[in-house]
Amino acid sequence: MVIRKGKEMDSNNIGKKIDNTKLVNAMRTMRANEDQDSRREFFQAIAPAMLIIPVNFDKDPEVDEEGRIVPGNGVKINFALLTNTNGDKVFPCFTDDETINASQFNEGFKRIILPYKELASFVLKSNGAVNGIAVNPFTENCFISGEFIKLADEQAKKGPLTQTKIAPGAKIKLRTPKYQPVQMLDVASKFLAGHDNVSKAYIQMMEEPEKEDKYLMALEINGDEKHLLTELIPLLKPHSFGIELAFVTTDNALGEKVAELTEPFYTKEGLDDNSAPQDKE
């Protein structure tokens, strides 16, 4: 991590080195009308963002010939924290000079610039001591929970998403969930309504020998489902009761079987309801 000393850091003009216009617009859109589209726009804008972070050093760090500070050699950076209404500690960060200048962090703090992804990694490494990130906490106040950061990190580590497939000779049993994950299906329906390439979605429980039961969601989709699932899975996991999620498309043999067994929990608006499969006895 490299930051600059002197005028760039101490005279409150460090924000001139970054441009977060797209992110600020996305936050304002989400504040005016929070829905799946505005949330997606926000997360797409913040992923590559560089943000202003209020900090303090426990002692003056060394400076190289170019005037750059390279933290290390016993120099400790203390990040500012805020406490939200739930009593959780969160990292405050800012998109531009004007926003931090109008905050309580305008005086008494140094400023550094960090990528959002690096700040998110600090949340993960805090082991629950820090519970999220507040972007422009005194104006737009967009909060990213530690739980969401953890889920997104886990999904990224899994790599490209693939459909669940039946191994040759595998004994698979499908059944209707005993307790319908109503909130999870509601979140999924609202998300899918914003994707014109998804016609229907179905849910079943999948049982496999010597494995934990999991929710199996089948999507009738036109095109590649991997990008869609990358966004959808972190939204659903908080509502899955800790049960693993698996996904197939209805042109997959397993997905086709799901569509035969049950009616869709989601049907694209305007689609002929008579085309929905019926439950089988």
Side-chain angles (χ1 to χ4, degrees), residues 5 10 14-15 19 23 26 47 64 66 113 119 132 145 168 182 185 264 269 279:
K5 182 188 179 186
D10 293 334
I14 195 170
D19 181 3
L23 173 57
D64 66 16
E66 297 180 0
I113 296 174
L119 190 61
S145 70
V182 177
L185 299 185
E269 185 177 359
D279 282 326

Side-chain angles (χ1 to χ4, degrees), residues 1 9 12 30 43 57-58 71 77 118 124 148 157-158 167 170 192 220 224 226 236 254:
M1 174 169 51
M9 184 169 63
N12 299 342
M30 188 168 69
F43 285 114
F57 300 104
D58 65 338
I77 299 180
E118 189 167 347
L124 294 174
F148 182 90
K157 289 178 179 177
K158 289 181 180 179
L192 296 174
E220 184 177 313
D224 185 11
K226 292 179 181 178
L236 300 186
L254 182 56

Side-chain angles (χ1 to χ4, degrees), residues 100-116:
I100 191 172
N101 288 347
S103 77
Q104 68 187 56
F105 300 105
N106 183 42
E107 297 182 356
F109 291 88
K110 305 296 185 183
R111 302 177 185 186
I112 63 173
I113 296 174
L114 285 181
Y116 160 75

